Amino acid sequence: MMASPLFLLLALALYFSPLKKQQIVEHILKVSEAAMEKMKGEIGEEERSNCDNQGDGKLKVRILVVDDSLLDRKVVERLLNKSEEGFEVITVDNGKKAMDILGLNEAETELAAINDQSIDIVLTDYCMPGMTGYDLLKAVKGQSFRKPIPVVVMSSENEPQRISRCRAIGAEDFILKPIQIKDVQRLRNYAKPNTSSPIVGSKRKMKPLELATESGGSEKRPRLAGVVVA
Amino acid sequence: MAAFAQEQLDALVNGMYREGFLDEQFQQIRALDEGGSPDFLVELLGLFCADTDRMLNEAALLLNQPIVDYKKVDAYFHQLKGSSASVGAHSFKLTCMLVRDSCDKNDKESCLEALNLAKQRFYELSKRLNIMIQLEQAVYAHKAGK
């Protein structure tokens, strides 16, 4: 239990008078922060498990699908959602938005709320106006993410030069459109769900230990709620 | 009534496969429908038909210019080739490839010929797809009403 070390420290503080009260408070705060972090991590794991678990122990894989064709996006999204491979699908219609989601653009946008580390794999069309799939692949592979993000490129053109070009800069695979069920199974093999990524839209919120300042004093002394340190 | 609509639908779809209008990709698209409802298929085919109609018209405008921007025409048919492949519209996809070949040669006359063929193929396809959508909805409505 969290309370026990705190009370122990307080008791020690009272007993060993030379210890400065400020140091005690700081130490208690450190202990409680560490405990909170540990609990957050445990709750995070539980939440991820509750939110993302398919029920068979498999974690869902967050896949970012990038394609300028609305029709193709709909087909791929449906295929991925209907498969039994456990995908959570996010779709965008251009490379720039994909960069925003992955946290690769400096400018903040409303899409930046989805943290880059919550994407487990990128599936991008090769031919797109503006930023091509190749450009996106290059940008992703050029970054040193905490956990490398696999990138699979898809194209309707079966061009050996295009394929080798993509593989040369690190594409995990190259899929010929239209994407098939067997391709979905391959995608799952490349992606490992990110268990340490922050949870988006977590149901439970941690209430941090509140630090209240004393009123009326020139020097504000922090005190723990319910604990007065003179 | 439901059985009759189903028979009509099966005959139409089988005929479209036989005549080369559709390929196995269409079967995969159909399989993506959920709970027997044709909503996804209807949405997709509607999107395909609307986009194709628009792009064919825009390509025709480009090809009727005194100086033809073959790159733009090719870009349209690249998209059309992709979307027709995605829905399994086999014969239409082949005509898109013919237009692209003509664009590669910067040959206006053969581009126009190929475009007319593509329009004709699309017209035949979209007629059948519209009937298919109506039959799919009729079959589903009868099944859901049970």
Side-chain angles (χ1 to χ4, degrees):
Chain A
M1 301 288 279
M2 208 177 96
S4 305
L6 294 175
F7 285 123
L8 182 63
L9 282 166
L10 277 169
L12 285 169
L14 289 168
Y15 186 77
F16 295 107
S17 52
L19 279 174
K20 287 182 188 170
K21 303 294 189 295
Q22 182 65 28
Q23 284 176 330
I24 294 162
V25 167
E26 281 166 5
H27 187 77
I28 290 167
L29 285 172
K30 267 188 199 166
V31 168
S32 67
E33 274 170 39
M36 268 167 48
E37 282 302 315
K38 193 182 170 211
M39 279 175 68
K40 261 189 200 173
E42 284 166 8
I43 288 167
E45 284 292 322
E46 192 189 337
E47 281 287 322
R48 175 90 190 203
S49 170
N50 289 341
C51 295
D52 299 341
N53 209 310
Q54 294 171 252
D56 59 355
K58 256 201 229 177
L59 285 174
K60 275 196 173 180
V61 169
R62 279 203 180 107
I63 181 165
L64 176 62
V65 177
V66 192
D67 199 322
D68 60 314
S69 163
L70 175 59
L71 191 143
D72 284 353
R73 283 201 309 278
K74 282 186 179 284
V75 171
V76 171
E77 184 178 17
R78 190 75 168 215
L79 199 60
L80 292 170
N81 280 330
K82 271 210 95 175
S83 76
E84 290 169 357
E85 302 297 332
F87 287 103
E88 184 185 324
V89 187
I90 301 139
T91 64
V92 291
D93 62 0
N94 66 66
K96 192 184 173 296
K97 284 180 189 167
M99 298 271 283
D100 289 340
I101 286 178
L102 294 167
L104 296 177
N105 273 339
E106 284 176 14
E108 283 188 48
T109 67
E110 60 185 49
L111 294 170
I114 301 175
N115 187 294
D116 61 303
Q117 286 303 314
S118 59
I119 299 298
D120 297 308
I121 181 170
V122 175
L123 174 65
T124 180
D125 187 26
Y126 185 92
C127 277
M128 291 188 292
M131 189 178 200
T132 65
Y134 180 80
D135 297 330
L136 177 62
L137 163 68
K138 209 171 169 184
V140 172
K141 292 301 177 182
Q143 289 291 319
S144 47
F145 287 108
R146 187 161 39 92
K147 183 179 161 252
I149 301 174
V151 180
V152 175
V153 181
M154 50 182 178
S155 175
S156 55
E157 310 285 338
N158 189 6
E159 278 183 31
Q161 264 190 344
R162 184 178 287 189
I163 297 168
S164 55
R165 214 176 148 221
C166 289
R167 286 195 185 278
I169 60 166
E172 267 66 17
D173 208 342
F174 192 100
I175 294 174
L176 208 55
K177 283 169 128 182
I179 202 164
Q180 308 286 320
I181 297 280
K182 60 174 163 53
D183 301 319
V184 173
Q185 289 159 353
R186 271 157 69 189
L187 288 171
R188 192 61 167 86
N189 294 336
Y190 294 123
K192 288 182 184 113
N194 199 333
T195 54
S196 59
S197 61
I199 307 301
V200 175
S202 175
K203 288 172 193 163
R204 268 192 274 168
K205 290 197 190 283
M206 283 293 297
K207 285 188 183 170
L209 208 62
E210 285 172 4
L211 196 63
T213 55
E214 287 178 2
S215 56
S218 56
E219 190 189 303
K220 288 190 176 174
R221 286 180 186 174
R223 67 176 174 87
L224 294 170
V227 178
V228 175
V229 181
Chain B
M1 180 67 185
F4 178 71
Q6 186 67 61
E7 260 180 51
Q8 293 289 301
L9 177 60
D10 291 343
L12 174 68
V13 173
N14 289 336
M16 288 177 79
Y17 280 119
R18 223 175 21 251
E19 291 168 67
F21 282 102
L22 300 174
D23 58 30
E24 61 275 4
Q25 175 64 16
F26 183 75
Q27 213 149 332
Q28 175 160 277
I29 297 296
R30 243 179 148 191
L32 293 177
D33 270 335
E34 273 172 2
S37 161
D39 287 349
F40 178 71
L41 181 68
V42 168
E43 184 194 1
L44 214 65
L45 294 180
L47 190 59
F48 170 71
C49 289
D51 277 355
T52 303
D53 190 49
R54 178 182 56 81
M55 281 193 257
L56 285 174
N57 289 332
E58 286 177 14
L61 282 171
L62 286 170
L63 278 170
N64 284 316
Q65 298 298 314
I67 299 169
V68 177
D69 189 341
Y70 290 102
K71 230 180 163 180
K72 273 190 179 168
V73 176
D74 181 69
Y76 278 127
F77 280 92
H78 170 77
Q79 279 189 67
L80 286 171
K81 184 199 149 200
S83 56
S84 54
S86 292
V87 300
H90 180 71
S91 56
F92 181 68
K93 180 185 76 178
L94 294 178
T95 59
C96 293
M97 288 162 75
L98 279 175
V99 178
R100 293 193 77 197
D101 286 343
S102 302
C103 286
D104 275 347
K105 296 169 194 163
N106 287 3
D107 184 340
K108 186 169 180 174
E109 208 176 302
S110 73
C111 263
L112 283 167
E113 261 183 55
L115 174 66
N116 284 334
L117 180 63
K119 279 182 165 180
Q120 194 188 335
R121 211 44 75 80
F122 174 65
Y123 172 68
E124 290 164 0
L125 172 67
S126 59
K127 249 190 342 183
R128 286 162 172 78
L129 289 178
N130 277 323
I131 297 169
M132 184 198 296
I133 286 168
Q134 286 171 47
L135 286 170
E136 288 271 9
Q137 287 174 323
V139 167
Y140 178 69
H142 280 112
K143 282 181 181 170
K146 276 188 181 174

